[in-house]
PDB file of all heavy atoms in Angstrom:
ATOM      1  N   PRO A 140      25.360  18.542  10.817  1.00  0.00           N
ATOM      2  CA  PRO A 140      24.635  19.449  11.871  1.00  0.00           C
ATOM      3  C   PRO A 140      23.367  18.848  12.465  1.00  0.00           C
ATOM      4  O   PRO A 140      23.151  18.877  13.576  1.00  0.00           O
ATOM      5  CB  PRO A 140      24.410  20.720  11.114  1.00  0.00           C
ATOM      6  CG  PRO A 140      25.412  20.829  10.106  1.00  0.00           C
ATOM      7  CD  PRO A 140      25.520  19.301   9.545  1.00  0.00           C
ATOM      8  N   ILE A 141      22.552  18.223  11.481  1.00  0.00           N
ATOM      9  CA  ILE A 141      21.152  17.695  11.996  1.00  0.00           C
ATOM     10  C   ILE A 141      21.394  16.533  12.818  1.00  0.00           C
ATOM     11  O   ILE A 141      20.729  16.217  13.825  1.00  0.00           O
ATOM     12  CB  ILE A 141      20.390  17.335  10.782  1.00  0.00           C
ATOM     13  CG1 ILE A 141      19.923  18.695  10.086  1.00  0.00           C
ATOM     14  CG2 ILE A 141      19.124  16.753  11.197  1.00  0.00           C
ATOM     15  CD1 ILE A 141      19.089  19.651  10.972  1.00  0.00           C
ATOM     16  N   ASP A 142      22.482  15.752  12.655  1.00  0.00           N
ATOM     17  CA  ASP A 142      22.700  14.533  13.372  1.00  0.00           C
ATOM     18  C   ASP A 142      23.099  14.931  14.805  1.00  0.00           C
ATOM     19  O   ASP A 142      22.810  14.266  15.772  1.00  0.00           O
ATOM     20  CB  ASP A 142      23.915  13.782  12.797  1.00  0.00           C
ATOM     21  CG  ASP A 142      23.445  12.781  11.714  1.00  0.00           C
ATOM     22  OD1 ASP A 142      22.475  12.073  12.009  1.00  0.00           O
ATOM     23  OD2 ASP A 142      24.007  12.772  10.638  1.00  0.00           O
ATOM     24  N   ALA A 143      23.778  16.065  14.963  1.00  0.00           N
ATOM     25  CA  ALA A 143      24.061  16.577  16.287  1.00  0.00           C
ATOM     26  C   ALA A 143      22.888  16.963  17.118  1.00  0.00           C
ATOM     27  O   ALA A 143      22.711  16.694  18.199  1.00  0.00           O
ATOM     28  CB  ALA A 143      24.939  17.803  16.130  1.00  0.00           C
ATOM     29  N   GLU A 144      21.949  17.589  16.310  1.00  0.00           N
ATOM     30  CA  GLU A 144      20.653  18.005  16.970  1.00  0.00           C
ATOM     31  C   GLU A 144      19.811  16.834  17.226  1.00  0.00           C
ATOM     32  O   GLU A 144      19.075  16.662  18.276  1.00  0.00           O
ATOM     33  CB  GLU A 144      19.857  18.981  15.976  1.00  0.00           C
ATOM     34  CG  GLU A 144      20.726  20.320  15.726  1.00  0.00           C
ATOM     35  CD  GLU A 144      21.093  21.118  17.002  1.00  0.00           C
ATOM     36  OE1 GLU A 144      20.274  20.992  17.996  1.00  0.00           O
ATOM     37  OE2 GLU A 144      22.095  21.702  17.155  1.00  0.00           O
ATOM     38  N   LEU A 145      19.694  15.721  16.374  1.00  0.00           N
ATOM     39  CA  LEU A 145      18.996  14.561  16.592  1.00  0.00           C
ATOM     40  C   LEU A 145      19.597  13.778  17.749  1.00  0.00           C
ATOM     41  O   LEU A 145      18.747  13.146  18.527  1.00  0.00           O
ATOM     42  CB  LEU A 145      18.959  13.739  15.303  1.00  0.00           C
ATOM     43  CG  LEU A 145      18.089  14.212  14.194  1.00  0.00           C
ATOM     44  CD1 LEU A 145      18.353  13.333  12.991  1.00  0.00           C
ATOM     45  CD2 LEU A 145      16.594  14.167  14.542  1.00  0.00           C
ATOM     46  N   ALA A 146      20.760  13.776  17.899  1.00  0.00           N
ATOM     47  CA  ALA A 146      21.434  13.194  19.078  1.00  0.00           C
ATOM     48  C   ALA A 146      20.917  13.789  20.331  1.00  0.00           C
ATOM     49  O   ALA A 146      20.643  13.099  21.275  1.00  0.00           O
ATOM     50  CB  ALA A 146      22.990  13.247  18.957  1.00  0.00           C
ATOM     51  N   LYS A 147      20.888  15.222  20.426  1.00  0.00           N
ATOM     52  CA  LYS A 147      20.320  15.941  21.523  1.00  0.00           C
ATOM     53  C   LYS A 147      18.810  15.542  21.667  1.00  0.00           C
ATOM     54  O   LYS A 147      18.376  15.748  22.892  1.00  0.00           O
ATOM     55  CB  LYS A 147      20.561  17.392  21.487  1.00  0.00           C
ATOM     56  CG  LYS A 147      21.942  17.734  21.341  1.00  0.00           C
ATOM     57  CD  LYS A 147      22.023  19.284  21.069  1.00  0.00           C
ATOM     58  CE  LYS A 147      23.490  19.801  20.853  1.00  0.00           C
ATOM     59  NZ  LYS A 147      23.618  21.232  20.586  1.00  0.00           N
ATOM     60  N   ALA A 148      18.103  15.292  20.671  1.00  0.00           N
ATOM     61  CA  ALA A 148      16.673  15.056  20.737  1.00  0.00           C
ATOM     62  C   ALA A 148      16.352  13.615  20.989  1.00  0.00           C
ATOM     63  O   ALA A 148      15.260  13.143  20.945  1.00  0.00           O
ATOM     64  CB  ALA A 148      15.970  15.504  19.487  1.00  0.00           C
ATOM     65  N   GLY A 149      17.390  12.833  21.400  1.00  0.00           N
ATOM     66  CA  GLY A 149      17.195  11.387  21.667  1.00  0.00           C
ATOM     67  C   GLY A 149      17.700  10.418  20.714  1.00  0.00           C
ATOM     68  O   GLY A 149      17.473   9.171  20.874  1.00  0.00           O
ATOM     69  N   ALA A 150      18.307  10.925  19.572  1.00  0.00           N
ATOM     70  CA  ALA A 150      18.882   9.969  18.565  1.00  0.00           C
ATOM     71  C   ALA A 150      17.704   9.003  18.040  1.00  0.00           C
ATOM     72  O   ALA A 150      16.852   9.469  17.375  1.00  0.00           O
ATOM     73  CB  ALA A 150      20.013   9.268  19.120  1.00  0.00           C
ATOM     74  N   PHE A 151      17.864   7.806  18.360  1.00  0.00           N
ATOM     75  CA  PHE A 151      16.840   6.857  17.941  1.00  0.00           C
ATOM     76  C   PHE A 151      16.020   6.396  19.130  1.00  0.00           C
ATOM     77  O   PHE A 151      16.356   5.455  19.898  1.00  0.00           O
ATOM     78  CB  PHE A 151      17.421   5.624  17.285  1.00  0.00           C
ATOM     79  CG  PHE A 151      16.543   4.667  16.612  1.00  0.00           C
ATOM     80  CD1 PHE A 151      16.246   4.897  15.302  1.00  0.00           C
ATOM     81  CD2 PHE A 151      15.850   3.737  17.251  1.00  0.00           C
ATOM     82  CE1 PHE A 151      15.295   4.094  14.555  1.00  0.00           C
ATOM     83  CE2 PHE A 151      14.935   2.887  16.634  1.00  0.00           C
ATOM     84  CZ  PHE A 151      14.650   2.983  15.311  1.00  0.00           C
ATOM     85  N   GLY A 152      14.929   7.212  19.425  1.00  0.00           N
ATOM     86  CA  GLY A 152      14.040   6.849  20.524  1.00  0.00           C
ATOM     87  C   GLY A 152      12.682   6.478  20.105  1.00  0.00           C
ATOM     88  O   GLY A 152      12.482   6.019  19.052  1.00  0.00           O
ATOM     89  N   ARG A 153      11.685   6.536  20.929  1.00  0.00           N
ATOM     90  CA  ARG A 153      10.468   6.070  20.635  1.00  0.00           C
ATOM     91  C   ARG A 153       9.758   6.799  19.499  1.00  0.00           C
ATOM     92  O   ARG A 153       8.866   6.226  18.865  1.00  0.00           O
ATOM     93  CB  ARG A 153       9.515   6.093  21.920  1.00  0.00           C
ATOM     94  CG  ARG A 153       9.252   7.477  22.488  1.00  0.00           C
ATOM     95  CD  ARG A 153       8.416   7.334  23.745  1.00  0.00           C
ATOM     96  NE  ARG A 153       7.995   8.582  24.319  1.00  0.00           N
ATOM     97  CZ  ARG A 153       7.186   8.691  25.374  1.00  0.00           C
ATOM     98  NH1 ARG A 153       6.870   7.703  26.075  1.00  0.00           N
ATOM     99  NH2 ARG A 153       6.824   9.892  25.782  1.00  0.00           N
ATOM    100  N   PHE A 154      10.097   8.114  19.315  1.00  0.00           N
ATOM    101  CA  PHE A 154       9.496   8.788  18.206  1.00  0.00           C
ATOM    102  C   PHE A 154       9.994   8.165  16.887  1.00  0.00           C
ATOM    103  O   PHE A 154       9.154   7.967  15.974  1.00  0.00           O
ATOM    104  CB  PHE A 154       9.923  10.205  18.121  1.00  0.00           C
ATOM    105  CG  PHE A 154       9.600  10.985  16.864  1.00  0.00           C
ATOM    106  CD1 PHE A 154       8.285  11.432  16.643  1.00  0.00           C
ATOM    107  CD2 PHE A 154      10.562  11.109  15.887  1.00  0.00           C
ATOM    108  CE1 PHE A 154       7.964  12.052  15.410  1.00  0.00           C
ATOM    109  CE2 PHE A 154      10.232  11.740  14.702  1.00  0.00           C
ATOM    110  CZ  PHE A 154       8.988  12.174  14.368  1.00  0.00           C
ATOM    111  N   GLN A 155      11.273   7.782  16.820  1.00  0.00           N
ATOM    112  CA  GLN A 155      11.756   7.144  15.578  1.00  0.00           C
ATOM    113  C   GLN A 155      11.040   5.843  15.284  1.00  0.00           C
ATOM    114  O   GLN A 155      10.775   5.398  14.222  1.00  0.00           O
ATOM    115  CB  GLN A 155      13.296   7.038  15.634  1.00  0.00           C
ATOM    116  CG  GLN A 155      14.041   8.216  15.303  1.00  0.00           C
ATOM    117  CD  GLN A 155      14.042   9.344  16.302  1.00  0.00           C
ATOM    118  OE1 GLN A 155      13.744   9.063  17.525  1.00  0.00           O
ATOM    119  NE2 GLN A 155      14.282  10.525  15.879  1.00  0.00           N
ATOM    120  N   VAL A 156      10.863   5.075  16.336  1.00  0.00           N
ATOM    121  CA  VAL A 156      10.056   3.836  16.294  1.00  0.00           C
ATOM    122  C   VAL A 156       8.644   4.104  15.773  1.00  0.00           C
ATOM    123  O   VAL A 156       8.149   3.459  14.911  1.00  0.00           O
ATOM    124  CB  VAL A 156       9.984   3.129  17.651  1.00  0.00           C
ATOM    125  CG1 VAL A 156       8.997   1.853  17.562  1.00  0.00           C
ATOM    126  CG2 VAL A 156      11.326   2.682  18.126  1.00  0.00           C
ATOM    127  N   PHE A 157       8.021   5.119  16.308  1.00  0.00           N
ATOM    128  CA  PHE A 157       6.675   5.429  15.854  1.00  0.00           C
ATOM    129  C   PHE A 157       6.608   5.830  14.294  1.00  0.00           C
ATOM    130  O   PHE A 157       5.776   5.334  13.578  1.00  0.00           O
ATOM    131  CB  PHE A 157       6.128   6.655  16.637  1.00  0.00           C
ATOM    132  CG  PHE A 157       5.019   7.345  15.976  1.00  0.00           C
ATOM    133  CD1 PHE A 157       3.723   6.729  16.084  1.00  0.00           C
ATOM    134  CD2 PHE A 157       5.080   8.594  15.416  1.00  0.00           C
ATOM    135  CE1 PHE A 157       2.613   7.345  15.500  1.00  0.00           C
ATOM    136  CE2 PHE A 157       3.963   9.225  14.867  1.00  0.00           C
ATOM    137  CZ  PHE A 157       2.654   8.574  14.976  1.00  0.00           C
ATOM    138  N   ILE A 158       7.547   6.711  13.859  1.00  0.00           N
ATOM    139  CA  ILE A 158       7.541   7.222  12.516  1.00  0.00           C
ATOM    140  C   ILE A 158       8.027   6.032  11.565  1.00  0.00           C
ATOM    141  O   ILE A 158       7.488   5.945  10.461  1.00  0.00           O
ATOM    142  CB  ILE A 158       8.436   8.406  12.239  1.00  0.00           C
ATOM    143  CG1 ILE A 158       8.208   8.951  10.929  1.00  0.00           C
ATOM    144  CG2 ILE A 158       9.891   8.043  12.463  1.00  0.00           C
ATOM    145  CD1 ILE A 158       8.962  10.331  10.647  1.00  0.00           C
TER     146      ILE A 158
END
Side-chain angles (χ1 to χ4, degrees):
I141 292 298
D142 276 311
E144 300 301 328
L145 285 173
K147 296 176 183 178
F151 191 90
R153 65 182 185 181
F154 170 79
Q155 278 72 21
V156 173
F157 165 75
I158 191 174

